[in-house]
Amino acid sequence: MSKQAKPRRLSETSAMAKIASLRTSPRKLNLVAQSIRGLPVQRALNELEFSPKRIAIDVRKALYSAISNAENNHNLDIDSLVVAEAFVGKNLIMKRFSARARGRASRIEKPFAEITIVVREQAEAA
């Protein structure tokens, strides 16, 4: 009478990693995610290693996590992995106020974003 296990959201040849609260705007994060979509994981890691964007460091950690999940949890071959999906979403927004002239205040919004990376095992072409 135990509870049924949740069905797997991804296919058998996929693995996923998600970072929920990254301190950057989704728009900036999407530029980095766009640069690795569809690439083999080794090339994507190199792309992130030499990217001038600050947030590329955190995206690289997420990609390493997805690769580790693929290897340890799903027994996938690391050499044949490809970044199938890398999508970005909004998260919370910190709201702050800054003093302005004549006793007024203006609002400052500090957005957070989240990224999900899905790696998939590519069938090698013969």
Side-chain angles (χ1 to χ4, degrees):
M1 295 296 299
S2 65
K3 202 164 135 182
Q4 287 289 326
K6 288 184 183 176
R8 193 150 181 246
R9 289 192 304 174
L10 300 170
S11 66
E12 294 297 318
T13 60
S14 299
M16 182 181 87
K18 181 176 182 174
I19 297 184
S21 290
L22 289 173
R23 182 57 194 90
T24 187
S25 71
R27 191 171 173 178
K28 291 177 185 176
L29 182 59
N30 197 35
L31 290 173
V32 176
Q34 206 171 7
S35 69
I36 64 167
R37 282 187 195 121
L39 295 179
V41 291
Q42 190 57 47
R43 177 125 182 259
L45 286 170
N46 289 339
E47 193 83 25
L48 293 170
E49 175 78 29
F50 298 107
S51 174
K53 304 278 188 187
R54 175 191 63 87
I55 201 65
I57 297 165
D58 294 326
V59 175
R60 191 163 183 263
K61 288 178 187 176
L63 182 56
Y64 265 124
S65 178
I67 294 168
S68 297
N69 289 342
E71 182 184 18
N72 295 322
N73 300 347
H74 308 299
N75 298 325
L76 301 179
D77 182 30
I78 299 175
D79 298 327
S80 61
L81 289 178
V82 173
V83 179
E85 299 172 32
F87 53 91
V88 175
K90 288 183 181 179
N91 208 324
L92 62 96
I93 296 176
M94 285 195 306
K95 294 167 183 91
R96 300 291 182 261
F97 287 95
S98 176
R100 290 294 183 211
R102 300 169 66 174
R104 296 191 175 106
S106 65
R107 187 162 155 169
I108 296 174
E109 294 184 342
K110 299 184 174 189
F112 281 72
E114 57 186 40
I115 187 167
T116 306
I117 297 178
V118 177
V119 292
R120 190 165 290 134
E121 195 171 38
Q122 188 78 13
E124 292 184 24

